Every structure is written in structure tokens, then in C-alpha cells.
Amino acid sequence: QIEELEPRADVPDNLHVDLSFFEFEDTFSSALKIFRADRLILGTHAPLHYPKAAILKIQNSAAPEEAKTAALAGNARRLLGLA
């Protein structure tokens, strides 16, 4: 059960999670119960699906704003060496 899990501190530094396949209700908050916020990256299924739906799942979640900002852009910038 997701409710029973805690974020994994032992996630390797080179592992990031694409959120495009997290499709259940409050996807982002559920992902934060399993993975650290600095490991989550926006995934959209583009060009097969409209990217806005994936963005809204994160923006409308009950997750902390800092985690939302990280997943929407900050983590990708850091991973690509742009931050």
C-alpha cells in the first residue's frame, strides 16, 4: 500500500523518475510517498498526449510548492547542468 511507504533515502544519485506513467488520482503526491522530490521529473507522453494535463496533475496536487517547482523544471535543469 502506498500509504505505508516512506520516501526512499537510498535512491541512487543517478536515478530519476519520469512521472508520465503515474496516472492515478493525485499522482504527484503519491509519487512523493515513494521517491524523494529531487528524483521526480515531469513526463508528458508528448506528442501523443497534450502536455498540459501532466503539468496540471502536478500544479493541482496537494504536494508542497517546493516539490512541485522541482518536478516541473528544477530537477530537469539540475540534471542537464543548466542550474
Side-chain angles (χ1 to χ4, degrees), residues 28 37 63-72 74-75:
F28 188 61
E65 290 300 318
E66 182 178 289
K68 293 178 190 181
T69 300
L72 288 170
N75 292 341

Side-chain angles (χ1 to χ4, degrees), residues 22-40:
F22 284 75
E23 297 293 339
F24 44 91
E25 188 174 329
D26 204 6
T27 299
F28 188 61
S29 292
S30 296
L32 285 170
K33 293 177 181 178
I34 303 169
F35 302 103
R36 298 186 331 242
D38 66 332
R39 303 287 105 189
L40 300 174

Side-chain angles (χ1 to χ4, degrees), residues 44 49-59:
T44 65
H49 299 283
Y50 293 105
K52 188 67 176 177
I55 293 167
L56 287 171
K57 284 179 191 173
I58 295 174
Q59 289 176 336

Side-chain angles (χ1 to χ4, degrees), residues 5 9-10 18 31 46 48 57 80:
L5 298 175
D10 61 343
D18 169 8
L48 302 175
K57 284 179 191 173
L80 297 170

